[in-house]
Amino acid sequence: MDDIAWVFRGRSYADRQTADALITFFVKKGKLWERFDETHTERGYDNKTIRDMLKTTGFQIKGFYKCGTFDRAKISDNRICVVAKRAL
């Protein structure tokens, strides 16, 4: 894409188990570029906590995967995605 660019800066806080992503976007509007900023805060949870929260709220866990893939998550993976389905 030639009409968007971004700068990503990250900070992590081990004591709170959180990380901030400070993102500056530039979007081309005609001959000019429009800038806007976003801050995304993420919190880390262990797999047992995720599993317990999903089950408590009525979800059925389909699997834990390495983020961005359908490879089963390993203990060494820094980021995972969970596939879950809400029971009707």
Side-chain angles (χ1 to χ4, degrees):
M1 298 174 112
D2 294 333
D3 57 350
I4 188 167
W6 62 88
V7 178
F8 179 95
R9 297 171 311 279
R11 291 188 292 221
S12 61
Y13 307 95
D15 58 325
R16 297 186 307 211
Q17 293 184 303
T18 63
D20 290 338
L22 310 166
I23 310 165
T24 299
F25 293 92
F26 298 92
V27 179
K28 194 168 188 179
K29 302 276 182 153
K31 293 183 180 183
L32 301 177
W33 290 84
E34 181 180 320
R35 172 188 171 161
F36 62 96
D37 299 299
E38 292 184 0
T39 300
H40 297 227
T41 300
E42 298 178 342
R43 176 175 299 280
Y45 296 95
D46 60 69
N47 290 358
K48 182 183 180 325
T49 300
I50 294 169
R51 187 181 313 278
D52 291 347
M53 286 191 295
L54 286 169
K55 286 185 176 181
T56 298
T57 54
F59 284 85
Q60 178 184 23
I61 298 167
K62 299 295 186 177
F64 284 76
Y65 300 96
K66 181 177 180 175
C67 199
T69 75
F70 283 104
D71 298 334
R72 292 282 178 190
K74 293 184 247 176
I75 194 74
S76 60
D77 292 332
N78 289 330
R79 183 177 290 261
I80 63 163
C81 292
V82 181
V83 176
K85 181 179 179 181
R86 177 102 189 209
L88 297 176

Coordinates of all heavy atoms in Angstrom, one line a residue:
M1 N 0.8 -1.2 0.0 CA 0.0 0.0 0.0 C 0.9 1.2 0.0 O 1.7 1.4 0.9 CB -0.9 0.0 1.2 CG -1.9 -1.1 1.3 SD -2.8 -1.0 2.9 CE -4.4 -0.6 2.3
D2 N 0.7 2.1 -0.9 CA 1.4 3.3 -1.0 C 0.8 4.5 -0.4 O 1.3 5.6 -0.3 CB 1.7 3.7 -2.5 CG 2.6 2.6 -3.2 OD1 3.4 2.0 -2.5 OD2 2.5 2.5 -4.4
D3 N -0.4 4.3 0.2 CA -1.2 5.4 0.8 C -1.3 5.4 2.3 O -2.1 6.1 2.9 CB -2.5 5.5 0.1 CG -3.4 4.3 0.3 OD1 -2.8 3.2 0.7 OD2 -4.5 4.3 -0.1
I4 N -0.5 4.5 2.9 CA -0.5 4.4 4.4 C 0.9 4.0 4.9 O 1.6 3.2 4.3 CB -1.6 3.5 4.9 CG1 -1.7 3.6 6.4 CG2 -1.3 2.0 4.5 CD1 -3.0 2.9 7.0
A5 N 1.3 4.6 6.0 CA 2.5 4.3 6.6 C 2.3 4.4 8.1 O 1.4 5.1 8.6 CB 3.6 5.2 6.2
W6 N 3.1 3.6 8.9 CA 3.0 3.8 10.3 C 4.3 3.5 11.0 O 5.2 2.9 10.5 CB 1.9 2.8 10.9 CG 2.2 1.4 10.7 CD1 2.9 0.5 11.5 CD2 1.7 0.5 9.6 NE1 2.9 -0.7 11.0 CE2 2.2 -0.7 9.8 CE3 1.0 0.8 8.5 CZ2 2.0 -1.8 9.0 CZ3 0.8 -0.2 7.6 CH2 1.3 -1.5 7.9
V7 N 4.4 4.1 12.2 CA 5.5 3.9 13.1 C 5.0 3.3 14.4 O 4.1 3.7 15.0 CB 6.2 5.3 13.4 CG1 7.4 5.1 14.4 CG2 6.6 6.0 12.2
F8 N 5.7 2.2 14.8 CA 5.2 1.4 15.9 C 6.3 1.5 17.0 O 7.5 1.2 16.7 CB 5.0 0.0 15.4 CG 4.6 -1.0 16.5 CD1 3.3 -1.3 16.7 CD2 5.5 -1.6 17.3 CE1 2.8 -2.2 17.6 CE2 5.1 -2.5 18.3 CZ 3.8 -2.8 18.5
R9 N 5.9 1.9 18.2 CA 6.8 1.9 19.3 C 6.1 1.1 20.4 O 4.9 1.2 20.7 CB 7.1 3.3 19.8 CG 7.8 4.1 18.8 CD 7.9 5.6 19.1 NE 6.6 6.3 19.6 CZ 5.7 6.7 18.8 NH1 5.7 6.6 17.5 NH2 4.6 7.4 19.3
G10 N 6.9 0.3 21.1 CA 6.3 -0.6 22.2 C 7.0 -0.4 23.5 O 8.2 -0.1 23.6
R11 N 6.2 -0.6 24.6 CA 6.7 -0.6 25.9 C 6.0 -1.7 26.7 O 4.9 -2.0 26.5 CB 6.4 0.7 26.7 CG 7.1 1.9 26.2 CD 6.8 3.1 27.1 NE 5.4 3.5 27.0 CZ 5.0 4.8 26.9 NH1 5.9 5.7 27.0 NH2 3.7 5.1 26.9
S12 N 6.8 -2.4 27.5 CA 6.2 -3.4 28.3 C 6.4 -3.2 29.8 O 7.4 -2.5 30.2 CB 6.7 -4.8 27.9 OG 8.1 -4.9 28.2
Y13 N 5.5 -3.7 30.6 CA 5.6 -3.5 32.1 C 5.4 -4.8 32.7 O 4.3 -5.3 32.9 CB 4.5 -2.5 32.5 CG 4.5 -1.2 31.8 CD1 3.6 -1.0 30.6 CD2 5.3 -0.1 32.1 CE1 3.6 0.1 29.9 CE2 5.3 1.0 31.4 CZ 4.5 1.2 30.3 OH 4.5 2.3 29.6
A14 N 6.5 -5.4 33.1 CA 6.5 -6.8 33.7 C 5.7 -6.9 35.0 O 5.0 -7.8 35.2 CB 7.9 -7.3 33.9
D15 N 5.8 -5.8 35.8 CA 5.1 -5.8 37.1 C 3.5 -5.8 36.9 O 2.8 -6.3 37.8 CB 5.5 -4.6 37.9 CG 5.2 -3.3 37.3 OD1 5.4 -3.2 36.0 OD2 4.9 -2.3 38.0
R16 N 3.0 -5.3 35.8 CA 1.6 -5.3 35.5 C 1.2 -6.3 34.5 O 0.0 -6.4 34.2 CB 1.2 -3.9 35.1 CG 1.4 -2.8 36.1 CD 0.8 -1.5 35.6 NE 1.3 -1.1 34.3 CZ 1.5 0.1 33.9 NH1 1.2 1.1 34.7 NH2 1.9 0.4 32.7
Q17 N 2.1 -7.0 33.9 CA 1.9 -7.9 32.8 C 1.1 -7.3 31.7 O 0.2 -7.8 31.1 CB 1.1 -9.2 33.3 CG 2.0 -10.0 34.2 CD 1.2 -11.3 34.6 OE1 0.1 -11.2 35.2 NE2 1.8 -12.4 34.3
T18 N 1.5 -6.0 31.3 CA 0.9 -5.3 30.2 C 2.0 -4.8 29.3 O 3.1 -4.7 29.6 CB 0.1 -4.1 30.7 OG1 0.9 -3.2 31.3 CG2 -1.1 -4.5 31.6
A19 N 1.5 -4.5 28.1 CA 2.4 -3.8 27.1 C 1.5 -2.8 26.3 O 0.4 -3.0 26.1 CB 2.9 -4.9 26.1
D20 N 2.2 -1.7 26.0 CA 1.6 -0.6 25.2 C 2.2 -0.6 23.9 O 3.4 -0.6 23.7 CB 1.8 0.8 25.9 CG 1.0 0.9 27.2 OD1 0.0 0.2 27.4 OD2 1.4 1.8 28.0
A21 N 1.3 -0.5 22.9 CA 1.8 -0.2 21.5 C 1.4 1.2 21.1 O 0.2 1.5 21.1 CB 1.1 -1.2 20.5
L22 N 2.4 2.0 20.9 CA 2.1 3.4 20.6 C 2.3 3.5 19.0 O 3.4 3.3 18.5 CB 3.1 4.3 21.3 CG 3.2 4.1 22.8 CD1 4.4 4.8 23.4 CD2 2.0 4.5 23.5
I23 N 1.3 3.8 18.3 CA 1.3 3.7 16.9 C 0.9 5.1 16.3 O -0.1 5.7 16.6 CB 0.3 2.6 16.3 CG1 0.5 1.3 17.1 CG2 0.5 2.5 14.8 CD1 -0.6 0.3 16.9
T24 N 1.8 5.6 15.4 CA 1.5 6.8 14.6 C 1.2 6.4 13.2 O 2.1 5.7 12.6 CB 2.7 7.8 14.7 OG1 2.9 8.1 16.1 CG2 2.4 9.0 13.9
F25 N 0.1 6.7 12.7 CA -0.3 6.4 11.3 C -0.2 7.7 10.4 O -0.5 8.8 10.9 CB -1.8 5.9 11.3 CG -2.0 4.6 11.9 CD1 -2.4 4.5 13.3 CD2 -1.8 3.4 11.2 CE1 -2.6 3.3 13.9 CE2 -2.0 2.2 11.8 CZ -2.4 2.1 13.2
F26 N 0.1 7.5 9.2 CA 0.1 8.5 8.2 C -0.8 8.0 7.0 O -0.4 6.9 6.4 CB 1.5 8.9 7.7 CG 2.3 9.4 8.8 CD1 3.1 8.6 9.6 CD2 2.3 10.8 9.1 CE1 3.9 9.1 10.6 CE2 3.1 11.3 10.1 CZ 3.9 10.5 10.9
V27 N -1.8 8.6 6.7 CA -2.7 8.2 5.6 C -2.7 9.3 4.5 O -3.0 10.5 4.8 CB -4.2 7.9 6.1 CG1 -5.1 7.5 4.9 CG2 -4.1 6.9 7.2
K28 N -2.5 8.9 3.3 CA -2.4 9.9 2.2 C -3.8 10.3 1.8 O -4.7 9.5 1.6 CB -1.7 9.3 1.0 CG -1.3 10.4 0.0 CD -0.4 9.8 -1.1 CE 0.1 10.9 -1.9 NZ 1.1 10.5 -2.9
K29 N -4.0 11.6 1.8 CA -5.3 12.2 1.4 C -5.0 13.2 0.3 O -4.6 14.3 0.6 CB -6.0 12.9 2.6 CG -6.3 12.1 3.8 CD -7.5 11.3 3.6 CE -7.8 10.5 4.9 NZ -9.1 10.2 5.2
G30 N -5.2 12.8 -1.0 CA -4.8 13.6 -2.1 C -3.3 13.8 -2.1 O -2.5 12.8 -2.1
K31 N -2.8 15.0 -2.0 CA -1.4 15.3 -2.0 C -0.8 15.4 -0.6 O 0.4 15.5 -0.5 CB -1.1 16.6 -2.8 CG -1.4 16.6 -4.3 CD -1.0 17.9 -4.9 CE -1.4 17.7 -6.4 NZ -1.0 19.0 -7.1
L32 N -1.7 15.4 0.4 CA -1.3 15.6 1.8 C -1.4 14.3 2.5 O -2.0 13.3 2.1 CB -2.1 16.6 2.4 CG -2.1 18.0 1.8 CD1 -3.1 18.9 2.6 CD2 -0.7 18.6 1.8
W33 N -0.7 14.2 3.7 CA -0.7 13.1 4.6 C -1.4 13.5 5.8 O -1.1 14.5 6.4 CB 0.7 12.6 4.9 CG 1.3 11.9 3.7 CD1 2.0 12.6 2.7 CD2 1.4 10.6 3.4 NE1 2.5 11.7 1.8 CE2 2.1 10.4 2.2 CE3 0.9 9.4 4.0 CZ2 2.3 9.2 1.6 CZ3 1.1 8.2 3.4 CH2 1.8 8.1 2.2
E34 N -2.4 12.7 6.3 CA -3.1 12.9 7.6 C -2.4 12.0 8.6 O -2.2 10.8 8.4 CB -4.5 12.6 7.4 CG -5.4 12.8 8.6 CD -6.8 12.5 8.4 OE1 -7.4 12.8 7.4 OE2 -7.4 11.9 9.4
R35 N -2.1 12.6 9.8 CA -1.5 11.8 10.9 C -2.6 11.6 12.0 O -3.3 12.5 12.3 CB -0.4 12.6 11.4 CG 0.2 12.0 12.7 CD 1.2 12.8 13.4 NE 1.6 12.3 14.7 CZ 2.7 12.6 15.3 NH1 3.5 13.4 14.9 NH2 2.9 12.0 16.5
F36 N -2.5 10.4 12.5 CA -3.3 10.1 13.8 C -2.5 9.1 14.6 O -1.8 8.3 14.1 CB -4.8 9.7 13.5 CG -4.9 8.5 12.7 CD1 -5.2 7.3 13.4 CD2 -4.9 8.4 11.4 CE1 -5.4 6.1 12.7 CE2 -5.1 7.2 10.7 CZ -5.3 6.1 11.3
D37 N -2.7 9.2 15.9 CA -2.0 8.3 16.8 C -3.0 7.5 17.6 O -4.1 7.9 17.9 CB -1.3 9.2 17.9 CG -0.2 10.1 17.2 OD1 0.7 9.6 16.6 OD2 -0.4 11.3 17.3
E38 N -2.6 6.3 17.9 CA -3.3 5.3 18.7 C -2.4 4.7 19.8 O -1.3 4.5 19.5 CB -4.0 4.2 17.9 CG -5.0 4.7 16.9 CD -5.7 3.5 16.1 OE1 -5.3 2.4 16.3 OE2 -6.5 3.8 15.3
T39 N -3.0 4.4 20.9 CA -2.3 3.6 21.9 C -3.2 2.3 22.2 O -4.3 2.4 22.5 CB -2.1 4.4 23.2 OG1 -1.4 5.5 23.0 CG2 -1.4 3.5 24.3
H40 N -2.5 1.2 22.0 CA -3.2 -0.1 22.3 C -2.5 -0.7 23.5 O -1.3 -0.8 23.5 CB -3.0 -1.1 21.1 CG -3.7 -0.6 19.8 ND1 -4.5 -1.3 19.1 CD2 -3.6 0.7 19.2 CE1 -4.9 -0.7 18.0 NE2 -4.4 0.6 18.1
T41 N -3.3 -1.1 24.5 CA -2.8 -1.7 25.7 C -3.2 -3.2 25.7 O -4.4 -3.5 25.5 CB -3.2 -1.0 27.0 OG1 -2.8 0.3 26.9 CG2 -2.7 -1.7 28.2
E42 N -2.2 -4.1 25.9 CA -2.5 -5.5 26.0 C -2.1 -6.0 27.3 O -1.2 -5.5 28.0 CB -1.6 -6.3 24.9 CG -1.9 -5.9 23.5 CD -1.1 -6.6 22.5 OE1 0.0 -7.1 22.9 OE2 -1.4 -6.6 21.3
R43 N -2.8 -7.1 27.8 CA -2.5 -7.7 29.0 C -2.3 -9.2 28.8 O -3.0 -9.8 28.0 CB -3.7 -7.6 30.0 CG -3.5 -8.3 31.3 CD -4.6 -8.0 32.3 NE -4.7 -6.6 32.7 CZ -3.9 -6.0 33.6 NH1 -3.0 -6.7 34.2 NH2 -4.1 -4.8 33.9
G44 N -1.3 -9.7 29.4 CA -1.0 -11.1 29.3 C -1.6 -12.0 30.3 O -1.7 -11.6 31.5
Y45 N -2.1 -13.1 29.9 CA -2.7 -14.1 30.8 C -2.1 -15.5 30.6 O -1.8 -15.8 29.4 CB -4.2 -14.2 30.6 CG -5.0 -12.9 30.9 CD1 -5.3 -12.0 29.9 CD2 -5.4 -12.7 32.2 CE1 -6.0 -10.9 30.2 CE2 -6.1 -11.5 32.5 CZ -6.4 -10.6 31.5 OH -7.1 -9.5 31.8
D46 N -2.0 -16.3 31.6 CA -1.5 -17.6 31.4 C -2.7 -18.5 30.8 O -3.8 -18.1 30.9 CB -1.0 -18.3 32.7 CG -2.0 -18.3 33.8 OD1 -3.0 -19.1 33.6 OD2 -1.9 -17.6 34.8
N47 N -2.3 -19.6 30.2 CA -3.3 -20.4 29.5 C -4.4 -20.9 30.4 O -5.6 -21.0 30.0 CB -2.6 -21.6 28.8 CG -1.8 -21.2 27.6 OD1 -1.7 -20.0 27.3 ND2 -1.1 -22.1 27.0
K48 N -4.1 -21.3 31.7 CA -5.1 -21.8 32.6 C -6.1 -20.7 32.9 O -7.3 -21.0 32.9 CB -4.4 -22.2 33.9 CG -5.5 -22.8 34.9 CD -4.8 -23.2 36.2 CE -5.8 -23.8 37.2 NZ -7.2 -23.2 37.2
T49 N -5.7 -19.4 33.1 CA -6.6 -18.3 33.3 C -7.5 -18.1 32.1 O -8.8 -18.0 32.3 CB -5.9 -17.1 33.6 OG1 -5.1 -17.3 34.8 CG2 -6.8 -15.9 33.9
I50 N -7.0 -18.2 30.9 CA -7.8 -18.0 29.7 C -8.8 -19.1 29.6 O -10.0 -18.9 29.4 CB -6.9 -18.0 28.4 CG1 -6.0 -16.7 28.5 CG2 -7.7 -18.1 27.2 CD1 -4.9 -16.8 27.4
R51 N -8.4 -20.3 29.8 CA -9.3 -21.5 29.7 C -10.4 -21.4 30.8 O -11.6 -21.5 30.4 CB -8.4 -22.8 30.0 CG -9.2 -24.1 29.8 CD -8.4 -25.3 30.1 NE -7.0 -25.3 29.5 CZ -6.8 -25.6 28.2 NH1 -7.7 -26.0 27.4 NH2 -5.5 -25.6 27.7
D52 N -10.1 -21.0 32.0 CA -11.1 -20.8 33.1 C -12.1 -19.7 32.7 O -13.3 -19.9 32.9 CB -10.4 -20.6 34.4 CG -9.6 -21.7 35.0 OD1 -9.8 -22.9 34.4 OD2 -8.8 -21.5 35.9
M53 N -11.6 -18.6 32.2 CA -12.5 -17.5 31.9 C -13.4 -17.9 30.8 O -14.6 -17.6 30.8 CB -11.7 -16.2 31.5 CG -11.0 -15.6 32.7 SD -10.3 -13.9 32.4 CE -9.0 -14.3 31.2
L54 N -12.9 -18.5 29.8 CA -13.8 -18.9 28.6 C -14.8 -19.9 29.1 O -16.0 -19.8 28.7 CB -12.9 -19.5 27.5 CG -12.1 -18.4 26.7 CD1 -11.1 -19.1 25.8 CD2 -13.1 -17.6 25.9
K55 N -14.4 -20.9 29.8 CA -15.4 -22.0 30.3 C -16.4 -21.3 31.2 O -17.6 -21.7 31.1 CB -14.7 -23.1 31.0 CG -13.9 -24.0 30.0 CD -13.3 -25.2 30.7 CE -12.7 -26.1 29.6 NZ -12.1 -27.3 30.2
T56 N -16.0 -20.4 32.1 CA -17.0 -19.8 33.0 C -18.0 -19.0 32.3 O -19.2 -18.9 32.7 CB -16.2 -18.9 34.0 OG1 -15.3 -19.7 34.7 CG2 -17.1 -18.2 34.9
T57 N -17.6 -18.4 31.1 CA -18.6 -17.6 30.4 C -19.3 -18.3 29.2 O -19.9 -17.7 28.4 CB -17.8 -16.3 29.8 OG1 -16.7 -16.8 29.0 CG2 -17.4 -15.4 30.9
G58 N -19.2 -19.7 29.3 CA -20.0 -20.5 28.3 C -19.3 -20.8 27.0 O -20.0 -21.1 26.1
F59 N -18.0 -20.7 26.9 CA -17.3 -21.0 25.6 C -16.8 -22.4 25.7 O -16.3 -22.9 26.7 CB -16.2 -20.0 25.4 CG -16.7 -18.7 24.9 CD1 -17.1 -17.7 25.8 CD2 -16.8 -18.4 23.5 CE1 -17.6 -16.4 25.3 CE2 -17.2 -17.2 23.0 CZ -17.6 -16.2 23.9
Q60 N -16.7 -23.0 24.5 CA -16.1 -24.3 24.4 C -14.8 -24.0 23.6 O -14.8 -23.4 22.5 CB -16.9 -25.3 23.5 CG -16.3 -26.6 23.3 CD -17.2 -27.5 22.4 OE1 -18.0 -27.0 21.7 NE2 -17.0 -28.8 22.5
I61 N -13.6 -24.4 24.2 CA -12.3 -24.2 23.6 C -12.1 -25.2 22.5 O -12.2 -26.4 22.7 CB -11.2 -24.2 24.6 CG1 -11.5 -23.1 25.6 CG2 -9.9 -24.1 24.0 CD1 -10.7 -23.2 26.9
K62 N -11.7 -24.7 21.3 CA -11.4 -25.6 20.2 C -9.9 -25.8 20.0 O -9.5 -26.8 19.5 CB -12.0 -25.0 18.8 CG -13.5 -24.8 18.8 CD -14.1 -26.1 18.9 CE -15.6 -26.0 18.7 NZ -16.3 -27.3 18.7
G63 N -9.1 -24.9 20.5 CA -7.7 -25.1 20.4 C -6.9 -23.8 20.7 O -7.4 -22.7 20.7
F64 N -5.6 -24.0 21.1 CA -4.7 -23.0 21.4 C -3.6 -23.1 20.2 O -3.1 -24.1 20.0 CB -3.9 -23.1 22.7 CG -4.8 -22.8 23.9 CD1 -5.8 -23.6 24.4 CD2 -4.5 -21.6 24.6 CE1 -6.5 -23.2 25.5 CE2 -5.2 -21.2 25.7 CZ -6.2 -22.1 26.1
Y65 N -3.4 -22.0 19.5 CA -2.5 -22.0 18.4 C -1.5 -20.9 18.4 O -1.7 -19.8 19.1 CB -3.3 -21.7 17.1 CG -4.4 -22.8 16.9 CD1 -5.7 -22.6 17.3 CD2 -4.1 -24.0 16.3 CE1 -6.7 -23.6 17.2 CE2 -5.0 -25.0 16.1 CZ -6.3 -24.8 16.6 OH -7.3 -25.8 16.4
K66 N -0.3 -21.2 17.8 CA 0.7 -20.1 17.7 C 0.1 -19.0 16.8 O -0.6 -19.2 15.8 CB 1.9 -20.7 16.9 CG 3.0 -19.7 16.8 CD 4.2 -20.3 16.1 CE 5.3 -19.3 16.0 NZ 6.6 -19.9 15.4
C67 N 0.2 -17.8 17.3 CA -0.5 -16.6 16.7 C -0.2 -16.5 15.2 O 1.0 -16.6 14.8 CB -0.1 -15.3 17.5 SG -1.3 -14.0 17.2
G68 N -1.2 -16.3 14.4 CA -1.1 -16.2 13.0 C -1.0 -17.5 12.2 O -0.8 -17.5 11.0
T69 N -1.1 -18.6 12.9 CA -1.0 -19.9 12.3 C -2.1 -20.8 12.9 O -2.8 -20.4 13.8 CB 0.4 -20.6 12.5 OG1 0.4 -21.1 13.9 CG2 1.5 -19.6 12.3
F70 N -2.2 -22.0 12.3 CA -3.0 -23.1 12.9 C -2.1 -24.2 13.5 O -2.5 -25.3 13.6 CB -4.0 -23.6 12.0 CG -5.2 -22.6 11.9 CD1 -5.3 -21.8 10.7 CD2 -6.1 -22.5 12.9 CE1 -6.4 -20.9 10.6 CE2 -7.2 -21.6 12.8 CZ -7.3 -20.9 11.7
D71 N -0.8 -23.8 13.8 CA 0.1 -24.7 14.5 C -0.2 -24.7 15.9 O -0.4 -23.7 16.6 CB 1.6 -24.3 14.3 CG 2.0 -24.3 12.8 OD1 1.4 -25.0 12.0 OD2 2.9 -23.5 12.5
R72 N -0.3 -25.9 16.5 CA -0.6 -26.0 18.0 C 0.4 -25.2 18.8 O 1.6 -25.2 18.5 CB -0.6 -27.5 18.4 CG -1.7 -28.3 17.9 CD -3.0 -28.0 18.6 NE -4.1 -28.8 18.0 CZ -5.3 -28.6 18.3 NH1 -5.6 -27.7 19.2 NH2 -6.2 -29.4 17.8
A73 N -0.1 -24.5 19.8 CA 0.8 -23.6 20.6 C 1.8 -24.5 21.4 O 1.4 -25.6 21.8 CB 0.0 -22.8 21.5
K74 N 3.0 -24.0 21.5 CA 4.0 -24.6 22.3 C 4.3 -23.7 23.5 O 4.1 -22.5 23.5 CB 5.3 -24.9 21.5 CG 5.1 -25.9 20.4 CD 6.4 -26.1 19.7 CE 6.3 -25.6 18.3 NZ 7.5 -25.6 17.5
I75 N 4.9 -24.3 24.5 CA 5.3 -23.5 25.7 C 6.2 -22.4 25.4 O 6.2 -21.3 26.0 CB 5.8 -24.4 26.8 CG1 5.9 -23.7 28.2 CG2 7.2 -24.9 26.5 CD1 4.5 -23.5 28.8
S76 N 7.0 -22.5 24.3 CA 8.0 -21.5 24.0 C 7.4 -20.3 23.1 O 8.1 -19.4 22.9 CB 9.1 -22.1 23.2 OG 8.6 -22.8 22.0
D77 N 6.1 -20.5 22.7 CA 5.5 -19.4 21.9 C 5.2 -18.2 22.7 O 4.7 -18.3 23.8 CB 4.2 -19.9 21.2 CG 4.5 -21.0 20.2 OD1 5.6 -21.0 19.6 OD2 3.6 -21.8 20.0
N78 N 5.6 -17.0 22.3 CA 5.4 -15.8 23.0 C 4.0 -15.3 22.9 O 3.5 -14.6 23.8 CB 6.3 -14.7 22.5 CG 7.8 -14.9 22.8 OD1 8.0 -15.5 23.9 ND2 8.7 -14.5 22.0
R79 N 3.3 -15.6 21.8 CA 1.9 -15.1 21.6 C 1.1 -16.3 21.0 O 1.5 -17.0 20.1 CB 2.0 -14.0 20.6 CG 0.6 -13.3 20.4 CD 0.8 -12.1 19.5 NE 1.4 -11.1 20.1 CZ 0.8 -10.0 20.7 NH1 -0.5 -9.9 20.6 NH2 1.5 -9.1 21.3
I80 N -0.1 -16.4 21.6 CA -1.0 -17.5 21.1 C -2.3 -16.9 20.8 O -2.7 -15.8 21.3 CB -1.1 -18.6 22.2 CG1 -1.8 -18.1 23.4 CG2 0.2 -19.3 22.4 CD1 -2.3 -19.2 24.3
C81 N -3.1 -17.6 20.0 CA -4.5 -17.3 19.8 C -5.3 -18.5 20.2 O -4.9 -19.6 20.0 CB -4.7 -17.0 18.3 SG -3.9 -15.5 17.7
V82 N -6.5 -18.2 20.7 CA -7.4 -19.2 21.1 C -8.6 -19.2 20.2 O -9.2 -18.2 20.0 CB -7.9 -19.0 22.6 CG1 -8.8 -20.1 23.1 CG2 -6.7 -18.9 23.5
V83 N -9.0 -20.4 19.8 CA -10.2 -20.5 19.0 C -11.3 -21.1 20.0 O -11.0 -22.2 20.6 CB -10.1 -21.4 17.8 CG1 -11.4 -21.7 17.1 CG2 -9.0 -20.8 16.8
A84 N -12.4 -20.4 20.1 CA -13.4 -20.8 21.0 C -14.8 -20.6 20.4 O -14.9 -19.7 19.6 CB -13.3 -20.1 22.4
K85 N -15.8 -21.4 20.8 CA -17.1 -21.2 20.3 C -18.1 -21.1 21.5 O -18.0 -21.8 22.4 CB -17.5 -22.5 19.5 CG -18.9 -22.4 18.9 CD -19.1 -23.6 18.0 CE -20.5 -23.6 17.5 NZ -20.8 -24.8 16.7
R86 N -19.0 -20.1 21.3 CA -20.0 -19.9 22.4 C -21.1 -20.9 22.2 O -21.7 -21.0 21.2 CB -20.5 -18.5 22.3 CG -21.6 -18.2 23.3 CD -21.0 -17.4 24.4 NE -22.0 -17.2 25.5 CZ -22.0 -16.2 26.3 NH1 -21.1 -15.3 26.1 NH2 -22.8 -16.2 27.2
A87 N -21.4 -21.6 23.3 CA -22.5 -22.5 23.2 C -23.8 -21.7 23.2 O -24.0 -20.7 23.8 CB -22.5 -23.4 24.5
L88 N -24.8 -22.2 22.3 CA -26.0 -21.5 22.2 C -27.1 -22.0 23.1 O -27.1 -23.0 23.6 CB -26.5 -21.6 20.7 CG -25.6 -21.0 19.7 CD1 -26.2 -21.3 18.3 CD2 -25.5 -19.5 19.9

